[in-house]
Amino acid sequence: MFKKVLQSISKSLQRQTAPAKPVAPEVKPAPAAEVKPAAKAEKAPAESTLKKIAAPPAPAPEPEKTPEQLCGIEPKMNKDQIRDRLKLLYRRYNRAASSLDGKTRAEADKMLTAIVKVREKTFGEI
Amino acid sequence: MAEFVGIDLGTTLSGLAYLKADGNPEIVPNADGERLTPSVVYFDSHEDVKLVGTAARDGGDPDRTIFQVKRYMDDPEHIIKMDGKDWTPSEISALILSKLKRDCSKIVGDINEVVITVPANFNELARKSTIAAAEMAGLKVRRLVNEPTAAAVYYAHSQGVQGRVLVFDLGGGTLDTTILEVVGDNIRILTSEGARHLGGSNFDEILLEAYDEQYRKQVSAALFNDERQRRRSLHAAEDAKKMLSKLQRVSDTIGNDTSGLARIDLTRETFEKLIRNMITRALMLVEQALDSAKLKPSDIDHVVLVGGSSRIPKVKQMLEKHFGKSPKSCGNVDECVALGAALFAKKSARIQEVCNQSYGTLAMIYNAATGEEKVQNSIVIPKNSSIPCSRTQMYVTSEDNERVIEVDITQGEDEDPKYVDVIGRITLEVPPNRPKGCEVAVTFSYDENQRVRALVVDKQSGRSREVAVSYKGAGVLSDEELKRRSSFLRQMRIE
Ligand SMILES: Nc1ncnc2c1ncn2[C@@H]1O[C@H](COP(=O)(O)OP(=O)(O)OP(=O)(O)O)[C@@H](O)[C@H]1O
Ligand SMILES: [Mg+2]
């Protein structure tokens, strides 16, 4: 059912940039290459490509997001869906919390706080 | 000579244990008569001496004192400048290890080979830096072992328990949780999950903020204006935190020379509220570990508390509520990691470990059912596979007439490539004029020393390439550099 096509990081980025459609602004500075020592040390060509994409277009000031918005929780989601979503996010951002990149770490901490808030609202306090 | 020695190189406290002739481990005190040595180094400005331990922690100038260096073991850019010399976190750790080696060998004889513990989710660079620190201190590392594994080995040994055990190790800087199975004299690790930057010192910082707020209200000035004042207040906050593990309420008088003193009142309830977000994060890590092992709370026979911060009553309550049984303390919560490491030195063959990370590659995954395709992290060896192990995944090439196949090696569990590390790349040259869709096999193998290898085989041409997946970037010392620094360290006065 699944076909797996090998795709190196540089190729996948070329694919993403090729069409006229701009890269979604929410593409975060890919921690993969920016933060991680190996990629940094190697100075692989991938890095420059990544950096280019990472530079966000001057961001318009956004209103502060609610914990639900940060976690992508929608009103129609039931408790099980929320639980699964929080689990996925916790796993992701707990790992990001030990990133070497200060920005990634700060984002992770903000997300973990939001995850806990949504959890408390949905399932009660510990 | 002490043959089986274990060292817990902690964020706040370090300890060394050895295995006695009767097969039981024992903590070896340092030359200051303490069982555990604060992981703090002080560079004196008058004498050419490096103080390690309590004297360093309580002593002098905060600008010359290095705390919690373990938090930076994987940061090549974290350099400490002292008297014209640059110190890496690994070298600072080497000073701590040197003191342990020197002091303890006076009691138990020569110490050459050791097992050193690390948090379960320490990455490769942090592990390498730890090994380098030991080598600089003149110690050969027999094995690195995960802290909760060591604690579990000690708990199983001292309590003679059988069944599924969940170890909850909340220390000064990290939380580690491991689930394992004890059958007879054998231990099988099922999963290990960790949260870095979740530990007692985070609670201290939170409490310090509360102190500052109360102080400002009363005195209309900041509680601290420099690092020395901040350290002092932090210390007071830590003491209050510890008291609140025993008492419902504490009062403290704090302040500084410029703005005077103020009285701070704090209840356990307030403290619990302040750290609730952190404790919930800790619970979520426990749930993650249970999920990874595909277990329910009721499948766990024993919940074991390890680490100084596990003394906080709220932590015990949270676990008791979740598991429906009260967690057991392994008695000496801040010593059991070192004790377990000494046991591990002898028993490692009886302990079946798992790989700490997922390894894989980036692939365009095409879902035939939905027609969707996207670049994903395609995992070859999932985290928590029993080691040693070897796994293969088949892929196809993406372009016609491709001359070079590039395989990015990833570390991390997330499907989304944004949230994994690319730790290396294998390039394999293949014959010209081939259509896309040629089969490529990617095999990862993981041995008991936690070394990972990746093999890429192009099926059609039979060409292959194998590499050791190893971090070689910034922060890793060459053998020569390591030798130079260790001889430099050996001449140093460390007390
Ligand atoms: N009674 C207590 N109540 C609350 N916290 C305590 C108590 N006793 C010790 N602690 C805290 O425990 C922490 C030290 O624990 P421990 O020695 O297990 O950590 P560590 O091994 O140095 O750190 P890590 O394992 O994270 O590297 C400190 O933050 C200390 O303040
Ligand atoms: Mg510890």
Side-chain angles (χ1 to χ4, degrees):
Chain A
M1 165 125 107
F2 292 100
K3 185 171 153 201
K4 297 179 175 176
V5 181
L6 270 184
Q7 198 79 15
S8 84
I9 206 167
S10 43
K11 271 190 219 156
S12 48
L13 281 162
Q14 277 161 20
R15 269 185 80 109
Q16 281 177 24
T17 38
K21 197 171 60 164
V23 178
E26 66 182 53
V27 170
K28 297 190 190 75
E34 272 223 347
V35 183
K36 307 316 170 189
K40 205 193 253 171
E42 268 177 14
K43 288 270 173 265
E47 194 181 23
S48 54
T49 331
L50 277 173
K51 282 241 168 87
K52 240 183 275 156
I53 296 168
E62 272 180 45
E64 191 80 13
K65 284 189 174 165
T66 65
E68 283 76 9
Q69 285 169 330
L70 283 171
C71 297
I73 304 291
E74 283 156 29
K76 62 174 189 291
M77 285 172 126
N78 63 31
K79 278 197 172 184
D80 282 343
Q81 287 169 318
I82 296 178
R83 185 179 283 118
D84 287 348
R85 174 86 191 142
L86 293 184
K87 271 184 188 172
L88 178 133
L89 292 177
Y90 178 82
R91 204 177 265 277
R92 173 175 291 170
Y93 288 102
N94 176 51
R95 189 168 197 278
S98 54
S99 163
L100 282 185
D101 177 66
K103 230 175 101 195
T104 308
R105 235 172 20 233
E107 191 210 340
D109 194 58
K110 196 170 134 195
M111 284 303 295
L112 288 168
T113 302
I115 291 165
V116 169
K117 285 203 173 126
V118 174
R119 182 192 161 107
E120 289 184 338
K121 264 195 222 167
T122 320
F123 303 102
E125 289 173 8
I126 52 163
Chain B
M1 193 186 88
E3 196 183 352
F4 300 108
V5 174
I7 295 180
D8 173 8
L9 187 57
T11 309
T12 46
L13 295 166
S14 295
L16 182 147
Y18 82 115
L19 209 60
K20 293 186 292 180
D22 66 4
N24 289 313
E26 189 165 281
I27 292 283
V28 186
N30 64 23
D32 308 315
E34 298 158 328
R35 295 170 68 79
L36 297 171
T37 304
S39 311
V40 185
V41 176
Y42 174 69
F43 291 79
D44 193 62
S45 56
H46 306 292
E47 286 176 58
D48 190 14
V49 59
K50 276 77 194 157
L51 297 184
V52 176
T54 306
R57 186 187 61 190
D58 301 342
D61 185 351
D63 293 337
R64 305 185 65 89
T65 311
I66 318 300
F67 294 89
Q68 301 200 357
V69 78
K70 183 176 172 181
R71 291 193 156 191
Y72 308 100
M73 290 298 269
D74 60 357
D75 185 353
E77 277 152 34
H78 189 88
I79 300 293
I80 296 137
K81 292 192 182 299
M82 201 60 73
D83 303 325
K85 181 185 164 3
D86 287 354
W87 293 80
T88 62
S90 183
E91 284 171 289
I92 301 290
S93 300
L95 294 172
I96 299 168
L97 290 171
S98 293
K99 174 172 170 83
L100 290 176
K101 177 181 154 90
R102 289 180 196 184
D103 286 10
C104 299
S105 54
K106 285 179 197 148
I107 298 174
V108 295
D110 279 351
I111 298 170
N112 299 318
E113 264 203 359
V114 292
V115 164
I116 299 186
T117 63
V118 289
N121 72 344
F122 241 29
N123 61 25
E124 227 190 314
L125 176 54
R127 285 171 194 264
K128 282 203 162 151
S129 306
T130 305
I131 294 174
E135 283 175 7
M136 285 187 257
L139 293 165
K140 188 168 178 293
V141 179
R142 190 191 286 258
R143 275 284 285 279
L144 291 183
V145 60
N146 293 336
E147 285 159 14
T149 302
V153 170
Y154 176 69
Y155 184 75
H157 171 88
S158 63
Q159 309 288 318
V161 298
Q162 297 283 312
R164 283 200 203 97
V165 180
L166 180 137
V167 178
F168 182 90
D169 177 0
L170 188 56
T174 49
L175 167 64
D176 265 331
T177 155
T178 289
I179 303 175
L180 53 120
E181 203 161 23
V182 188
V183 180
D185 207 15
N186 295 310
I187 291 180
R188 190 162 73 96
I189 308 296
L190 301 177
T191 184
S192 261
E193 304 284 352
R196 293 203 38 207
H197 310 288
L198 204 177
S201 36
N202 298 89
F203 308 154
D204 302 343
E205 295 286 350
I206 292 173
L207 211 47
L208 182 64
E209 263 176 49
Y211 267 34
D212 186 41
E213 205 176 298
Q214 281 203 33
Y215 187 82
R216 278 169 195 268
K217 265 190 202 143
Q218 294 178 46
V219 183
S220 302
L223 174 58
F224 46 86
N225 298 301
D226 60 28
E227 187 53 24
R228 185 189 289 262
Q229 289 172 354
R230 198 186 80 88
R231 277 268 148 222
R232 213 177 277 158
S233 309
L234 194 64
H235 215 103
E238 186 184 0
D239 287 342
K241 171 190 78 175
K242 289 184 185 169
M243 295 270 279
L244 285 172
S245 291
K246 296 191 171 157
L247 304 173
Q248 291 293 340
R249 151 188 308 272
V250 294
S251 302
D252 203 354
T253 308
I254 54 164
N256 57 57
D257 315 335
T258 30
S259 312
L261 298 175
R263 189 185 141 101
I264 306 283
D265 287 306
L266 203 65
T267 62
R268 186 187 284 176
E269 199 187 336
T270 311
F271 173 62
E272 287 176 351
K273 223 178 252 158
L274 290 171
I275 62 165
R276 198 180 69 219
N277 190 284
M278 287 286 172
I279 302 294
T280 308
R281 291 185 195 185
L283 175 61
M284 292 187 83
L285 193 77
V286 169
E287 291 171 342
Q288 181 173 311
L290 287 167
D291 273 351
S292 301
K294 301 190 174 58
L295 295 172
K296 301 185 295 297
S298 57
D299 296 327
I300 301 294
D301 302 306
H302 313 269
V303 179
V304 179
L305 296 173
V306 178
S309 302
S310 72
R311 293 195 180 95
I312 296 173
K314 185 75 186 167
V315 170
K316 292 183 208 165
Q317 282 158 22
M318 174 270 283
L319 292 169
E320 179 157 4
K321 191 168 157 195
H322 193 70
F323 287 95
K325 56 170 92 65
S326 66
K328 303 268 166 13
S329 157
C330 66
N332 31 4
V333 290
D334 15 40
E335 295 180 352
C336 55
V337 170
L339 292 164
L343 278 166
F344 185 90
K346 179 146 189 218
K347 291 191 172 192
S348 61
R350 293 190 159 277
I351 295 148
Q352 160 93 63
E353 292 186 282
V354 292
C355 66
N356 297 308
Q357 300 268 5
S358 295
Y359 291 88
T361 180
L362 295 179
M364 178 70 76
I365 310 281
Y366 173 71
N367 184 334
T370 62
E372 239 180 74
E373 62 171 16
K374 59 180 169 194
V375 177
Q376 284 186 357
N377 173 36
S378 163
I379 292 173
V380 179
I381 293 191
K383 181 177 168 171
N384 295 324
S385 304
S386 291
I387 54 176
C389 65
S390 175
R391 302 274 166 90
T392 303
Q393 277 269 359
M394 294 300 297
Y395 299 91
V396 293
T397 54
S398 60
E399 268 140 72
D400 291 332
N401 200 18
E402 211 165 5
R403 291 304 317 274
V404 181
I405 299 172
E406 289 171 338
V407 178
D408 284 313
I409 300 171
T410 62
Q411 197 180 53
E413 300 162 86
D414 216 295
E415 272 185 357
D416 190 334
K418 277 184 291 186
Y419 299 99
V420 298
D421 302 339
V422 175
I423 57 167
R425 171 180 291 180
I426 303 183
T427 50
L428 180 67
E429 249 186 75
V430 290
N433 301 325
R434 308 192 315 167
K436 65 182 173 187
C438 291
E439 280 191 333
V440 178
V442 177
T443 303
F444 282 88
S445 38
Y446 201 112
D447 72 15
E448 46 279 275
N449 286 315
Q450 326 220 324
R451 275 188 298 249
V452 185
R453 298 189 71 78
L455 168 72
V456 176
V457 181
D458 176 55
K459 286 285 172 188
Q460 196 194 48
S461 65
R463 290 187 193 177
S464 67
R465 187 130 185 232
E466 188 173 13
V467 296
V469 178
S470 169
Y471 176 86
K472 295 195 198 76
V476 174
L477 295 177
S478 68
D479 290 349
E480 272 159 50
E481 184 66 2
L482 205 63
K483 248 190 218 147
R484 198 181 64 72
R485 295 196 194 191
S486 30
S487 61
F488 170 68
L489 216 87
R490 237 159 277 170
Q491 290 151 18
M492 214 172 272
R493 205 179 126 206
I494 301 166
E495 284 189 16

